[in-house]
Amino acid sequence: ETGVTQSPTHLIKTRGQQVTLRCSSQSGHNTVSWYQQALGQGPQFIFQYYREEENGRGNFPPRFSGLQFPNYSSELNVNALELDDSALYLCASSSLGGVFGELFFGEGSRLTVL
Amino acid sequence: KNEVEQSPQNLTAQEGEFITINCSYSVGISALHWLQQHPGGGIVSLFMLSSGKKKHGRLIATINIQEKHSSLHITASHPRDSAVYICAVSSYNTDKLIFGTGTRLQVFP
């Protein structure tokens, strides 16, 4: 079992609302990446935070935003929710410049937008 | 065309069979990861490869950098191996992962 925890595990929102998802990083890791996984698809990279700064972003609109805190935990915020935002949101903890390849995933937050 | 392609998409096997899942990629990478995803959604990292071959228990992963191809082998498969196996590649500098769509494996007793 990893030290990466995500919350909430499940949530239901309506179109137009806003949501905040949270992720704790593995002890000793300084990098958190967020991924969106639609049903039946592989995860898609949203963005990555390294030492509290955004370090790469995928093809997602600005209403997807993030934050990383000094303890390296992270938040993903999505504004103006759309039906297509329904997905499993995964975070992955790693350590750029550290133990290369050590990568731990959380269990995910399953978001349903009605 | 996806940057990371896996085959087959679905695989069924009888317990004890030898299983191979293939992954091809078209981009420059710093590493390739094999991941396992169970129905609940959580993902576990099985291997990270940048060259050669790695073995862990009944799992073996190989990579050929020149051919941009990797394989995951499961020896003596067991029903508990049933899961989705995902190949993902890391781009340089960011550890950003590009995922394949996964191979759904079902092993029957």
Side-chain angles (χ1 to χ4, degrees):
Chain A
E1 192 172 299
T2 75
V4 180
T5 56
Q6 290 188 243
S7 62
T9 53
H10 296 82
L11 71 166
I12 299 173
K13 293 283 189 178
T14 56
R15 208 167 36 174
Q17 285 189 309
Q18 178 264 343
V19 69
T20 297
L21 307 178
R22 295 178 177 84
C23 172
S24 71
S25 62
Q26 181 77 12
S27 177
H29 285 184
N30 54 23
T31 303
V32 173
S33 304
W34 285 93
Y35 297 88
Q36 181 195 63
Q37 187 176 23
L39 201 61
Q41 304 292 318
Q44 298 289 320
F45 175 71
I46 303 175
F47 43 56
Q48 179 184 84
Y49 278 84
Y50 168 63
R51 294 188 172 179
E52 303 179 60
E53 299 285 335
E54 188 177 287
N55 182 45
R57 187 179 181 93
N59 189 25
F60 280 80
R63 57 191 186 82
F64 284 77
S65 63
L67 199 58
Q68 186 178 34
F69 299 99
N71 66 355
Y72 301 133
S73 66
S74 178
E75 284 183 356
L76 163 65
N77 297 290
V78 187
N79 293 322
L81 284 166
E82 300 177 0
L83 297 179
D84 285 349
D85 296 333
S86 295
L88 179 70
Y89 289 84
L90 293 158
C91 76
S93 168
S94 60
S95 189
L96 282 180
V99 177
F100 184 66
E102 187 178 70
L103 186 66
F104 296 114
F105 284 85
E107 292 291 313
S109 294
R110 189 168 295 281
L111 170 65
T112 302
V113 182
L114 303 176
Chain B
K1 192 174 179 349
N2 293 333
E3 293 168 301
V4 181
E5 298 272 1
Q6 283 185 241
S7 63
Q9 286 188 304
N10 293 284
L11 185 55
T12 58
Q14 288 296 123
E15 184 173 354
E17 285 185 9
F18 180 82
I19 288 160
T20 296
I21 300 170
N22 295 300
C23 175
S24 297
Y25 54 93
S26 57
V27 295
I29 68 169
S30 55
L32 182 142
H33 298 257
W34 281 103
L35 309 167
Q36 182 191 57
Q37 186 171 33
H38 281 281
I43 292 179
V44 174
S45 177
L46 299 174
F47 294 105
M48 188 282 296
L49 294 163
S50 53
S51 65
K53 174 180 171 177
K54 285 191 176 178
K55 185 175 189 292
H56 185 253
R58 295 180 294 106
L59 302 178
I60 303 166
T62 64
I63 188 168
N64 184 318
I65 297 293
Q66 287 72 34
E67 295 185 4
K68 296 189 173 180
H69 180 269
S70 176
S71 293
L72 175 69
H73 306 284
I74 304 176
T75 61
S77 60
H78 190 277
R80 65 174 174 266
D81 297 327
S82 298
V84 175
Y85 291 84
I86 304 174
C87 168
V89 299
S90 303
S91 62
Y92 291 104
N93 300 322
T94 68
D95 283 354
K96 165 192 169 181
L97 293 179
I98 305 170
F99 289 78
T101 52
T103 295
R104 184 173 300 277
L105 170 66
Q106 288 184 292
V107 182
F108 294 100

